[in-house]
Amino acid sequence: MGAPEGGQEIQRVGAYGLAWRDERLLVVRASAITEVEGRLFLPGGGVDHKEHPDRAIEREVWEETGLTVQRSSLLGVVDDVRTRRRTGEVVHTIRMIYAIEVPDGELKVNDHGGSSDEAFWLTVDELKARDLAHYVIEAAKLIGLDLSPNPKG
């Protein structure tokens, strides 16, 4: 499968955390530097060169939420292919999804100027009413959560 008219093909590997407690899921909001400002993601992101995914999930969660991962376990992997509107790049993203435990604490973004600008604990109903990244819906299925959007009407 080739890239459309000169669009470069890129593969990206990321580690993302599912923190579910008190009937709420920890999510982060995409910042203005992304093509999808306001969309909700799971905390996480790209695994750096020579970085173990277990370390990446700890680093990314701290950067995006201010919380320290106390425990993590790999739940599964989801992937998708999309074309970036701004560049035409065709990106295949492989996302390792971790179940994570984090302490109570103030949510704060430690990576200012990054791809997320705020973190929230939201209920299933609140999540279904928001713009969720497709992979969040797929990842939530790994723990039996149905975050499919409510039908409009």
Side-chain angles (χ1 to χ4, degrees), residues 132-144:
L132 299 178
H134 179 72
Y135 82 88
V136 175
I137 296 167
E138 293 304 308
K141 292 176 184 176
L142 296 171
I143 61 170

Side-chain angles (χ1 to χ4, degrees), residues 80-97:
D80 56 70
V81 177
R82 70 179 186 88
T83 301
R84 289 183 174 154
R85 289 188 295 259
R86 293 179 188 161
T87 64
E89 296 167 323
V90 178
V91 183
H92 174 215
T93 304
I94 300 167
R95 292 180 173 89
M96 290 170 272
I97 307 298

Side-chain angles (χ1 to χ4, degrees), residues 3 11 17 21 36 38 59 66 68 79 84 87 91-92 98 102 127 129 133 144:
Q11 189 166 56
R21 72 161 184 242
V36 290
R59 175 183 53 77
T68 303
D79 78 320
R84 289 183 174 154
T87 64
V91 183
H92 174 215
Y98 285 80
V102 293
L127 290 162

